[in-house]
Structure formats: structure tokens, C-alpha cells
Amino acid sequence: DLAMINRMLQSFAHTPQPVPWRLAVNVSAKTIECAGDEYFNALLRLAPYTRRLIVESTETYCPDDQRVVADFAKRVNDAGMYIALDDCSPENIHWDRNFVKVVAPRFLKLDGGFLNSCFQSEDAAPIQALLDLGRRVNAHIVAEGIDSRHKREFVADIGVGLLQGWLFSKPVPLPSITPLSACQV
């Protein structure tokens, strides 16, 4: 996680400040537990390069103490950045109502694989449950893995307004990202 922040800082070193787009970075709860202060300080160095910095807490590690993640999230929010819980699905802690309430994220990102299962079965109820949770904690829902117009329409009809996926842009290497191309995506 820290290596990626440092790589981004190197890439932005010769970029006019700030670039006119949002930037999202991932962080594991393990990093938050073990190196939260160091990671937060790196975020503070990166934030001036972008219009808005979104810090996505990944689901790959279940924290031993949820308060550590909640305290980190509060620091991020207080610094003018946003917290997102990445890859929300019923199988991980990012779907847990109590955890979500404690962390108070700005965004809940619906897992692309889980979304695909709902799409294939034409079952919108689980996604609606996440939308309801998002309303309770004042978080926006972002549907990940949107790779077709049909999937885009499926989530839009449910009420998901923020979408991400290959339908809009394929991943590109960091050096090839420019403010102009990012704004056009």
C-alpha cells in the first residue's frame, strides 16, 4: 500500500498541482493496523496533487479491532479525503451493518463478482439491501464491474448512480494517465 502511494508521488512530481480529477488508492486494514500513521502521512503528501483523494479500504483482511479502522477513517475524513469500503459483498466485513456504521464511509463499492451473480440471476434484492445500508450511513453506492450496457441498465434501474468498469475504461499504466484523458473517461 505504501509502495503504491510512493510510486504515485513520484509520478506526480512533475505534474501541475492539482490535477482536475479524483484519485482513489487502496489500503488494507492490515496496513491501517500496522502502519496507519505512516500511510496517513503519505496520503497527506499525495492529496494536494488531486482534486479529491478517495481511500478505499480493501476487504482482504478482517481487522482485529474495528475501532482502529474507524479512527483511521475519521482522520481521513477530517483531512478532507473520502473513505470507501471496497468490494462489498455478503461474504466480507464491508457488508456488516455494524462495521459500516462504525467506519462511516462516503462510498460503498458493490463487488463486481457479486453484482455479476445478481445480474445473472436477475435478483436485485441484495443490491437493494446495500443501497438501504448506504442510505442509513449517508454513503453513495458504486457498482464495480460494469462491462456491458445491460449491466449498467440493471444497476441504474435499481437506483445505483455511480458506476465503474471496463464499459467506461480499461485499466491503464500510471504514467499514461493524464488529466485530459482522465476527464474524458
Side-chain angles (χ1 to χ4, degrees):
D1 295 334
L2 283 166
M4 180 53 72
I5 297 286
N6 288 331
R7 173 72 169 95
M8 294 170 81
L9 285 166
Q10 290 171 358
S11 293
F12 286 129
H14 304 291
T15 302
Q17 296 184 43
V19 293
W21 35 277
R22 294 175 193 92
L23 179 66
V25 296
N26 287 356
V27 64
S28 165
K30 184 69 168 176
T31 298
I32 294 169
E33 285 181 346
C34 297
D37 289 339
E38 186 178 357
Y39 189 84
F40 181 76
N41 290 332
L43 291 173
L44 291 176
R45 291 192 310 276
L46 182 60
Y49 289 100
T50 183
R51 183 169 57 109
R52 176 72 64 197
L53 188 57
I54 302 167
V55 182
E56 297 184 17
S57 175
T58 61
E59 78 295 345
T60 55
Y61 174 81
C62 187
D64 294 327
D65 182 358
Q66 295 178 5
R67 293 292 337 160
V68 173
V69 176
D71 291 345
F72 177 83
K74 182 175 182 343
R75 290 173 64 195
V76 167
N77 287 327
D78 288 349
M81 299 174 265
Y82 293 147
I83 285 287
L85 295 180
D86 197 21
D87 293 330
C88 296
S89 72
E91 293 78 37
N92 67 53
I93 194 167
H94 292 176
W95 197 272
D96 181 82
R97 179 176 303 166
N98 294 325
F99 180 76
V100 172
K101 284 181 182 178
V102 168
V103 173
R106 179 68 171 225
F107 300 98
L108 295 171
K109 298 186 74 178
L110 176 62
D111 179 73
F114 180 69
L115 165 59
N116 194 52
S117 295
C118 293
F119 174 71
Q120 294 295 326
S121 66
E122 298 180 6
D123 183 9
I127 298 170
Q128 189 61 52
L130 187 64
L131 279 164
D132 293 342
L133 176 58
R135 282 186 206 99
R136 283 191 207 105
V137 299
N138 199 29
H140 302 280
I141 307 303
V142 179
E144 296 181 313
I146 304 300
D147 54 9
S148 71
R149 287 189 342 259
H150 297 294
K151 200 177 289 183
R152 178 186 68 198
E153 292 165 5
F154 175 74
V155 294
D157 288 346
I158 301 166
V160 178
L162 300 174
L163 312 174
Q164 170 184 335
W166 285 19
L167 180 64
F168 311 106
S169 177
K170 298 215 183 328
V172 295
L174 188 59
S176 69
I177 296 174
T178 64
L180 180 59
S181 66
C183 290
Q184 293 173 338
V185 171

